[in-house]
Amino acid sequence: MMVVMKEDATAEQVDAVIRQVEGVGASAHVSRGELMTVIGVIGDREHVSNIELEGAPGVDHVVPILKPYKLASAQLKKGGRTVIDIDGRKIGGPHFMTIAGPCTVESREVLLEGARTVRDAGASLLRGGAYKPRTSPYSFQGLGDAGLRLLAEAKAETGLPIVTELMDVRDIEAVLEVADVIQVGARNMQNYTLLTEIGRSGRPVLLKRGLSATLEDLLMAAEYVLKEGNEDVILCERGIRTFEPAYRFTLDLMAVPVLKELSHLPVVVDPSHAAGKRDLVLSMSLAAAAAGADGIIVETHPEPDEAICDGPQAVRGEDFADYMRQVERAAALAGKELQPVG
Ligand code: PEP
Ligand code: MN
C-alpha cells in the first residue's frame, strides 16, 4: 500500500510512519515530491494490513496498491512521471532521449568513428556491448574488459555517457567503472540475482523486455531493481517472439502506452533488434515516437557490411544524422522536449 502524507507533514511524522511500517517487518520506500511525501509500504500483506495508519498524525490517506508490482506502479506516483538525469541528459516525463551506437565494441577505430557520428547528430548517450549475449556459443562474445576500456576512451573523447550491458554479476565492478547506464538484455530480464545487484549499485538501468515476457513480467523485473532503492529504471520494448517469421521479432508498440499507463517509469523502444533489417528501423522509430515513447535505442555502424554483429539492422553512419532529424521531428510532434543542444 501507499501512504500519502499531508503537505504540511513534518519529518518526525514521516519518521513515525516509517518506524510503524518497519515494526511489522515491512519496508518503507520514501518518495519526497515537491508538494508531498509518499511512502510505499512493501511487505507481507497480512502484516501490512494490521498497521493502523489512516488518521495517524501527518497522514493524509492510505491507498492500497493492488498490482503485484508496487514501486513500479503508476499509482505510487499518482500520475507523476519518473525523470532520470544521466549526466545532464534527461529521459522520462516530457523529455525524449536518443541512445545510439554499434551493437558491440569491435575496435578503437570503429567505435570512435561511430561515437563521433552519434555525438555530431545530437544523440544523448552512446550504446555498445562489451559483453554480448549471443544465441550461438561459437559467435563473437564481445571484447569484455578491453571493450569496456574502449568505451571509456569513447566517452572521454566525445563526452557521451555510456550504456553497456552487464550479463554476469561477476563483472559488475568492471562495468560500473564505465557504464552510466547498465543495460540488462532481453535474455537476462529475469535474472533476479543480477537485477538485485544492479539495484544495490544505484546506477541507472535500461531493462529490456524478455523475448516472451508479458508486460507484468517486465514490471516485476523492474520491481527487483526498485526494491533495492534504485529508482532509475528505464523500460525497453525490443520486440517479442511471435509466429511471424518475416522479421526478427514483433515490435509490440502497444506496450508503450500500456506500460506508461501501468507505470511511472520511462519507456524506450529498440527498433533495431525487433526489425533485424535496416529498412524497417526508421518507420518503427517514428511509430514509437508517435506512440509516446520517451526515447529510442538504436544501432548504427560506420560500415554495417563489415560489422561483427547485427550489421543488417544498423543504420548506416552516413545516414544517421538524417535519421536523427526525422525521429526528433516525430518526437516533437508527439509533444516531447528534445535534449538541449551542446
Ligand atoms: C543488444 O542491445 O545488442 C542486444 C543484444 O539486445 P537484446 O538483449 O534486446 O537482444
Ligand atoms: Mn545488437
Side-chain angles (χ1 to χ4, degrees):
M1 69 182 174
M2 193 171 77
V3 183
V4 182
M5 301 301 291
K6 290 184 176 146
E7 273 181 43
D8 58 0
T10 63
E12 289 73 32
Q13 288 169 336
V14 172
D15 285 345
V17 170
I18 296 172
R19 274 198 304 278
Q20 255 186 294
V21 167
E22 291 178 346
V24 297
S27 64
H29 294 260
V30 183
S31 142
R32 288 188 171 85
E34 247 166 60
L35 291 179
M36 63 194 160
T37 296
V38 174
I39 303 168
V41 179
I42 312 293
D44 184 87
R45 190 175 289 230
E46 221 170 288
H47 294 159
V48 168
S49 62
N50 286 335
I51 321 174
E52 289 286 338
L53 286 170
E54 202 73 70
V59 173
D60 191 70
H61 63 283
V62 176
V63 190
I65 298 185
L66 301 173
K67 302 282 186 200
Y69 44 88
K70 313 286 178 194
L71 302 170
S73 148
Q75 272 177 297
L76 184 77
K77 294 208 170 172
K78 292 184 96 190
R81 310 292 315 168
T82 287
V83 174
I84 304 176
D85 188 313
I86 301 150
D87 224 357
R89 286 96 168 154
K90 292 192 175 135
I91 183 163
H95 308 281
F96 187 87
M97 176 182 278
T98 307
I99 304 167
C103 177
T104 184
V105 181
E106 299 176 11
S107 68
R108 171 179 287 110
E109 293 67 35
V110 175
L111 181 66
L112 290 182
E113 186 183 341
R116 284 184 214 112
T117 302
V118 163
R119 177 203 55 198
D120 294 348
S124 296
L125 267 61
L126 177 66
R127 63 147 290 150
Y131 297 97
K132 294 303 300 178
R134 304 305 300 280
T135 302
S136 165
Y138 307 115
S139 302
F140 175 67
Q141 304 287 308
L143 291 181
D145 210 40
L148 292 177
R149 285 197 296 277
L150 292 176
L151 285 168
E153 210 177 310
K155 180 178 176 179
E157 184 176 322
T158 60
L160 291 173
I162 302 294
V163 182
T164 197
E165 178 158 355
L166 173 66
M167 286 176 57
D168 186 325
V169 92
R170 288 172 295 186
D171 299 316
I172 193 164
E173 292 304 326
V175 167
L176 281 172
E177 277 178 29
V178 176
D180 297 280
V181 177
I182 299 178
Q183 178 173 319
V184 176
R187 289 155 191 84
N188 255 324
M189 187 203 84
Q190 287 178 311
N191 181 337
Y192 299 123
T193 325
L194 189 68
L195 296 171
T196 299
E197 282 308 314
I198 293 174
R200 288 182 184 153
S201 79
R203 197 64 50 88
V205 187
L206 187 135
L207 179 61
K208 293 187 129 190
R209 180 180 182 185
L211 312 189
S212 57
T214 63
L215 299 184
E216 187 167 300
D217 293 337
L218 175 61
L219 291 167
M220 292 306 282
E223 194 79 7
Y224 270 87
V225 177
L226 298 166
K227 187 172 172 293
E228 299 305 320
N230 184 348
E231 296 179 11
D232 293 342
V233 180
I234 302 165
L235 305 170
C236 178
E237 163 58 36
R238 48 79 69 212
I240 50 174
R241 187 156 273 165
T242 68
F243 51 80
E244 179 52 68
Y247 22 80
R248 201 171 173 189
F249 294 95
T250 299
L251 188 61
D252 177 13
L253 283 180
M254 266 190 294
V256 176
V258 174
L259 282 172
K260 292 183 70 170
E261 192 186 319
L262 296 175
S263 175
H264 52 84
L265 297 170
V267 179
V268 303
V269 169
D270 172 348
S272 308
H273 289 88
K277 292 180 197 159
R278 183 175 311 117
D279 291 354
L280 296 173
V281 170
L282 175 62
S283 56
M284 289 303 98
S285 304
L286 301 180
D294 298 301
I296 298 281
I297 176 166
V298 64
E299 289 186 345
T300 176
H301 194 284
E303 302 278 354
D305 305 328
E306 311 292 321
I308 294 180
C309 69
D310 286 351
Q313 68 198 27
V315 175
R316 292 189 187 282
E318 70 225 45
D319 298 332
F320 188 70
D322 183 53
Y323 164 86
M324 271 288 294
R325 293 292 83 73
Q326 298 197 58
V327 174
E328 284 183 337
R329 213 176 302 143
L333 273 176
K336 286 292 198 179
E337 278 174 31
L338 306 175
Q339 306 293 320
V341 185

